[in-house]
Amino acid sequence: MGVKVIIPTPLRAYAGKQESVDLQAATVGEALSALTNRFQELKKHLYSDDGRLRSFVNVYVNDEDIRYLQKSDTPVREGDTISIVPSIAGGVTQQRKCGGTREPF
Amino acid sequence: MSGPVLKIAEDLLRRIHAHGAETYPHECCGALLGRENDGSREVADLLPLANRRDDSPRNRFKLTPDDVRLAEKTARAKALDLIGWYHSHPDAPARPSEYDRDHAWPWYSYIIVSVEKGQARDTTSWRLQDGRSAYDAEAIEIAGRSAGI
């Protein structure tokens, strides 16, 4: 037994369809590194090209946001649970008028 | 080869349109609660949520991790899954933007409704491809009334 990482539903397809993965790690960074080494397809959905966690990806240790702890250096202990929760964001890039004239659906 | 299909009842689609009209000229947003069986995906209920982007709500929306957890909890309480999200594009096409793509995950269904001058127009749905470089259009299949969950 080590730490448990809960895999969010949209990413389970990239983690062997598992709901959670047990790992040995001393910090959050080590746990996520071990996770993405084991399931390499996960990496691009968690990290941007510069190697940072994507801005909309939030990581918690036992419900504490690691941004308010020691970020990826946050220590984890036997039995801790790491959760990955997205923020949902989007929107129009450029304001331009619709060309459509169709009725809704 | 047929692409992904999202089934949604007409009354639920009307609720999304009404939400988009209500918040116009700001973007609306909310969660899609439903089921997926053998690749067939159906919206069974909605959870309208508040757009957290106070600084630029006309062309951006944001939901916090707490909103996401609330949506997951609400889905579980109704024996449903959180299968995706909807948002509006005020006075802009119902197509995903680069900004949408940068902030998306695969698997989720992303419904976009264009709202022109306060009136809902086109509705589309999208799923991000595994490689993150593009979306697949998801066909919307309109069903009868929702089950009233």
Side-chain angles (χ1 to χ4, degrees), chain B residues 80-135:
Chain B
L80 298 171
D81 295 317
L82 172 58
I83 59 171
W85 306 93
Y86 70 86
H87 74 282
S88 62
H89 280 180
D91 295 321
R95 300 189 63 81
S97 63
E98 278 296 293
Y99 190 84
D100 288 332
R101 188 176 60 77
D102 279 344
H103 293 79
W105 268 348
W107 191 84
Y108 282 140
S109 294
Y110 292 94
I111 287 182
I112 303 176
V113 57
S114 64
V115 181
E116 190 175 5
K117 295 179 181 170
Q119 185 166 0
R121 291 289 181 189
D122 296 327
T123 308
T124 56
S125 187
W126 307 85
R127 290 199 208 177
L128 186 69
Q129 292 179 358
D130 288 346
R132 301 194 59 84
S133 60
Y135 282 91

Side-chain angles (χ1 to χ4, degrees), chain A residues 6-8 11-13 15-22 38-39:
Chain A
I6 307 292
I7 309 296
L11 300 186
R12 286 179 192 161
K17 298 184 179 177
Q18 297 179 75
E19 292 184 14
S20 66
V21 177
D22 292 325
R38 189 185 299 183
F39 302 105

